């Protein structure tokens, strides 16, 4: 097993290498507007998972996934050359759902704001059920005798 800090540094290096390869060397027309968001490496340095996002339609996302799969060998060769590892890790590309999760969170926040506004509007004309301020004066024992 390898130190987790070393695996993290290598994962960061792999992320940069893959991003550079996609920007400069991979010329696949199916490749859309891709951003490499993260890379994770197992502790034995055998498998690397590269997370990416694609800006565009579902067609562009599937085309980009196919382009990444076809360019996997070239990218892996470059990763091995630039990292100098004895065993070059196998690459797995996974679509990162950050954008979809962010949109879902925004929708939930908008619903919460709407319900808060409804509660505030209902509470604006409300009056207390009992005394307006029951804690204003301390209780006296004479009040309890009545």
């Amino acid at each position: 097993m390898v130190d987790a800090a070393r695996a993290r540094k290598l994962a960061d290096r792999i992320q940069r290498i893959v991003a550079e390869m996609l920007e400069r060397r991979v010329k696949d027309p199916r490749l859309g507007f891709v951003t490499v968001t993260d890379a994770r490496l197992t502790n034995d340095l055998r498998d690397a998972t590269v997370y990416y996002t694609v800006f565009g339609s579902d067609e562009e996302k599937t085309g980009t996934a196919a382009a990444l799969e076809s360019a996997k060998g070239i990218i892996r060769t470059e990763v091995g050359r630039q990292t100098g590892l004895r065993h070059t890790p196998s690459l797995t590309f996974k679509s990162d759902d950050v954008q979809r999760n962010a949109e879902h969170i925004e929708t939930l926040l908008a619903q919460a704001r709407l319900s808060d506004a409804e509660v505030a509007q209902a509470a604006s004309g409300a009056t207390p059920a009992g005394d307006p301020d029951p804690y204003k004066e301390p209780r006296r024992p004479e009040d309890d005798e009545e």
Side-chain angles (χ1 to χ4, degrees):
M1 288 297 192
V2 177
D3 181 21
R6 179 171 183 235
R8 185 68 222 157
K9 285 180 185 178
L10 281 170
D12 289 342
R13 180 74 180 128
I14 289 171
Q15 179 183 351
R16 279 186 259 125
I17 292 169
V18 170
E20 181 179 305
M21 287 288 295
L22 293 177
E23 183 180 336
R24 294 199 174 114
R25 298 220 9 228
V26 178
K27 301 294 182 197
D28 196 326
R30 298 173 294 177
L31 198 62
F33 187 68
V34 178
T35 303
V36 178
T37 57
D38 194 16
R40 298 206 178 136
L41 197 60
T42 57
N43 283 340
D44 62 356
L45 306 180
R46 294 288 182 163
D47 299 310
T49 305
V50 179
Y51 295 93
Y52 67 94
T53 59
V54 180
F55 184 74
S57 66
D58 289 336
E59 282 181 12
E60 292 172 333
K61 290 177 184 178
T62 56
T64 297
L68 289 173
E69 280 299 314
S70 68
K72 187 186 291 189
I74 297 168
I75 296 171
R76 183 172 183 239
T77 302
E78 188 65 21
V79 166
R81 191 180 68 72
Q82 287 191 26
T83 57
L85 295 172
R86 180 179 292 179
H87 300 286
T88 303
S90 62
L91 298 177
T92 304
F93 291 99
K94 281 193 170 182
S95 178
D96 200 353
D97 294 333
V98 171
Q99 189 69 23
R100 189 177 323 138
N101 291 341
E103 289 172 1
H104 179 67
I105 289 171
E106 285 296 323
T107 303
L108 292 175
L109 287 173
Q111 290 173 354
R113 281 188 212 103
L114 182 63
S115 65
D116 284 350
E118 290 172 359
V119 168
Q121 184 180 11
S124 65
T127 57
D131 292 334
D133 191 7
Y135 302 107
K136 194 169 188 175
E137 295 180 17
R139 293 181 100 182
R140 292 185 300 247
E142 303 92 44
D143 292 341
D144 291 336
E145 293 173 2
E146 294 176 1

